Amino acid sequence: MTPGDLVSPTDTEPGANGSVERLSLGVAARLSRYLQVLTQAKKMGKETISSQELSDYTHVNSTQIRRDLSGFGKFGKRGVGYNVDSLVSQIRKILRTAGQHNIALFGAGHLGKAIASSDIFADHGFRVVAIFDTDTRKVGQKIGTSAVRHNSELTTVVEEEEIVVGVLAVPTAAAQPLADDLVEAGVKIIFNYSEALLDVPPEVTVHTSSPAVDLLYALYFYLT
Amino acid sequence: MTPGDLVSPTDTEPGANGSVERLSLGVAARLSRYLQVLTQAKKMGKETISSQELSDYTHVNSTQIRRDLSGFGKFGKRGVGYNVDSLVSQIRKILRTAGQHNIALFGAGHLGKAIASSDIFADHGFRVVAIFDTDTRKVGQKIGTSAVRHNSELTTVVEEEEIVVGVLAVPTAAAQPLADDLVEAGVKIIFNYSEALLDVPPEVTVHTSSPAVDLLYALYFYLT
DNA sequence: TAGATTGTTAATCGATTAACAATC
DNA sequence: TAGATTGTTAATCGATTAACAATC
């Protein structure tokens, strides 16, 4: 494992056929990564991709990639590689994340604006349907397609818009109380861009973004 | 492995004494994560921390944490836990990243501003010593402590300021040419916040930030 | 002392890799 | 055909975990 892990559920290997067992942590993590590279490769007009190319971009061994994929079917063509389009839809099917998922974004500062105007989430079926801030001067401002709302609307909006994920782009001090409100409102996944260590009930997943950790890690191998 | 991996160097287990062998990928990754939690715990005034608490925040098994640490010395006190301050400096010593490291930031948009004004890097000894943009209207603007410079100064600044890491907060289309310039200038670590798939020589490490990948992964375990 | 938590062992399981036949 | 790349096997290595004595 490596910086950026999330949950610790029970491991089960996927059945070779269409069985409904859970993927192991590792497989699910790697498939998500392949999906990101494939999505971008598709944008760049690439039609096929080899396990070696996928390996170059993900730093996952090419044998492992072929092994991961062949567990679910024969998606590749020998001598050619994998069709980008069809592999994208296959992996989406395996991860069962083919649909649209709604996100609420908290904090309309520089980071919030950067996230709202990026299509990094949109590319993967995540839609930012609401942006919140506590600053009344920001409330009403348009960011992208939606207007900034006040945090007091949190509970209503989470319910009405079927929010699955809360993204926190707020100051460290504001993060824990906000996380509490999100938990209260029934949100099960919190994406934390602040530095706060969040305490949440076990059924809620927190992912804390940690670029500095990734840098430290890269630097170690650079320095040695 | 999991979203967020970086390099693929040779593995070697650390010697129990002060030998200079390379850490294995996994150990280096986990130590970096412990460091992040410890740094934040220290800010919150915590003096000691148990392997169980570290486990709650990092999702790494507590036995594994004790095992990782005990390979380098007896840092803990039975019945009490680990002293936060001393563990921070021990891990910094192990990772050999105790010093200051200079970063150049590219892109003075929302994301660039968010990064420059955050102390997420500063907390770990990374200093943003230069901010670049190609937009001449932005050149000269003050962001945090430093003024925005034009990309044409890249080579000079990298040399003068001993830049180790280039952080790309630029549009996807601008990323590859910029990466080429950075490689040319001798930068060995590139932190890519764009969606571009960057092609670089093997001695250069690219880390692409992928929040959507992390979300997909979290969502899988939520949906199943 | 009593409770808590480390340090360490031993056993298991999954990840990783090289190698290569199959085949496009 | 010749070259490339998949799918798969087999062997190895590291990660993970439970358990518990040591000890603060």
Side-chain angles (χ1 to χ4, degrees):
Chain A
M1 298 262 179
T2 230
D5 288 48
L6 290 163
V7 281
S8 335
T10 332
D11 274 23
T12 327
E13 268 305 308
N17 45 21
S19 74
V20 241
E21 286 167 61
R22 261 195 172 192
L23 305 179
S24 81
L25 282 178
V27 174
R30 291 195 299 274
L31 288 175
S32 308
R33 293 235 249 137
Y34 307 156
L35 199 50
Q36 186 211 15
V37 172
L38 289 165
T39 305
Q40 191 56 29
K42 189 177 168 178
K43 273 196 182 174
M44 287 159 55
K46 226 168 151 41
E47 295 195 352
T48 62
I49 195 165
S50 70
S51 58
Q52 187 52 54
E53 288 174 287
L54 272 171
S55 171
D56 291 340
Y57 290 123
T58 58
H59 304 119
V60 174
N61 181 283
S62 68
T63 305
Q64 173 115 43
I65 294 175
R66 297 199 300 279
R67 231 164 155 287
D68 282 341
L69 297 174
S70 70
F72 303 98
K74 308 204 172 189
F75 301 146
K77 255 202 179 63
R78 289 166 201 245
V80 179
Y82 299 88
N83 178 282
V84 173
D85 268 339
S86 90
L87 195 52
V88 165
S89 47
Q90 292 290 356
I91 295 181
R92 285 211 176 123
K93 224 176 279 171
I94 297 165
L95 290 175
R96 270 170 278 172
T97 48
Q100 281 288 326
H101 302 284
N102 292 344
I103 291 183
L105 176 63
F106 294 85
H110 284 308
L111 183 56
K113 283 176 188 158
I115 294 169
S117 53
S118 146
D119 46 18
I120 207 153
F121 286 123
D123 278 346
H124 293 276
F126 296 103
R127 214 167 18 148
V128 176
V129 293
I131 304 172
F132 293 92
D133 206 295
T134 49
D135 186 339
T136 46
R137 287 167 303 180
K138 283 182 183 160
V139 171
Q141 269 183 30
K142 273 269 182 189
I143 296 180
T145 52
S146 44
V148 177
R149 306 185 192 216
H150 191 264
N151 275 27
S152 54
E153 295 187 67
L154 188 154
T155 313
T156 327
V157 175
V158 164
E159 198 174 311
E160 279 174 3
E161 301 277 7
E162 295 177 335
I163 303 284
V164 170
V165 179
V167 175
L168 311 191
V170 298
T172 303
Q176 183 65 57
L178 188 48
D180 294 341
D181 291 346
L182 282 168
V183 168
E184 179 74 19
V187 171
K188 290 292 186 293
I189 302 174
I190 295 176
F191 206 97
N192 177 28
Y193 277 105
S194 86
E195 292 183 88
L197 301 174
L198 299 179
D199 289 311
V200 296
E203 74 274 13
V204 177
T205 298
V206 172
H207 178 74
T208 299
S209 163
S210 36
V213 171
D214 296 332
L215 262 194
L216 277 176
Y217 179 65
L219 197 65
Y220 173 76
F221 290 104
Y222 166 68
L223 292 175
T224 52
Chain B
M1 298 259 178
T2 230
D5 287 47
L6 292 161
V7 283
S8 337
T10 331
D11 274 22
T12 328
E13 269 306 306
N17 45 21
S19 76
V20 243
E21 287 167 58
R22 261 195 173 193
L23 305 179
S24 81
L25 282 179
V27 173
R30 292 196 298 275
L31 288 175
S32 307
R33 292 233 250 143
Y34 306 155
L35 199 51
Q36 185 210 16
V37 171
L38 290 165
T39 305
Q40 191 57 25
K42 188 176 168 178
K43 274 197 183 176
M44 288 160 54
K46 226 167 150 41
E47 295 195 349
T48 63
I49 195 165
S50 70
S51 58
Q52 187 52 54
E53 288 175 288
L54 272 171
S55 171
D56 291 340
Y57 291 123
T58 58
H59 304 121
V60 174
N61 182 283
S62 67
T63 305
Q64 173 115 43
I65 294 175
R66 297 200 298 279
R67 230 164 155 286
D68 282 341
L69 297 174
S70 72
F72 304 98
K74 308 201 173 190
F75 301 147
K77 257 202 179 61
R78 291 167 200 244
V80 180
Y82 299 88
N83 179 282
V84 173
D85 268 340
S86 92
L87 195 52
V88 164
S89 47
Q90 292 290 356
I91 294 181
R92 285 213 177 121
K93 224 177 283 171
I94 296 165
L95 290 174
R96 271 169 278 173
T97 48
Q100 282 289 326
H101 303 283
N102 292 344
I103 291 183
L105 176 62
F106 294 85
H110 284 308
L111 183 56
K113 283 176 189 159
I115 294 169
S117 53
S118 146
D119 45 18
I120 207 152
F121 286 124
D123 279 347
H124 293 275
F126 296 105
R127 214 164 22 145
V128 176
V129 293
I131 304 172
F132 293 92
D133 205 294
T134 49
D135 186 340
T136 45
R137 288 166 303 178
K138 284 183 182 158
V139 171
Q141 269 183 30
K142 272 268 180 189
I143 295 182
T145 53
S146 44
V148 176
R149 307 184 190 218
H150 191 265
N151 275 27
S152 55
E153 295 187 66
L154 189 154
T155 314
T156 328
V157 176
V158 164
E159 197 175 311
E160 279 174 3
E161 301 277 5
E162 296 177 336
I163 303 283
V164 170
V165 180
V167 175
L168 311 192
V170 299
T172 302
Q176 183 65 58
L178 188 48
D180 293 342
D181 292 346
L182 282 168
V183 168
E184 179 74 19
V187 171
K188 289 291 188 292
I189 302 175
I190 295 177
F191 205 97
N192 176 28
Y193 278 105
S194 86
E195 293 183 88
L197 301 175
L198 299 179
D199 289 311
V200 297
E203 75 273 14
V204 176
T205 299
V206 172
H207 178 74
T208 299
S209 163
S210 36
V213 172
D214 295 332
L215 263 194
L216 277 176
Y217 178 64
L219 197 65
Y220 173 75
F221 290 103
Y222 166 69
L223 292 176
T224 51

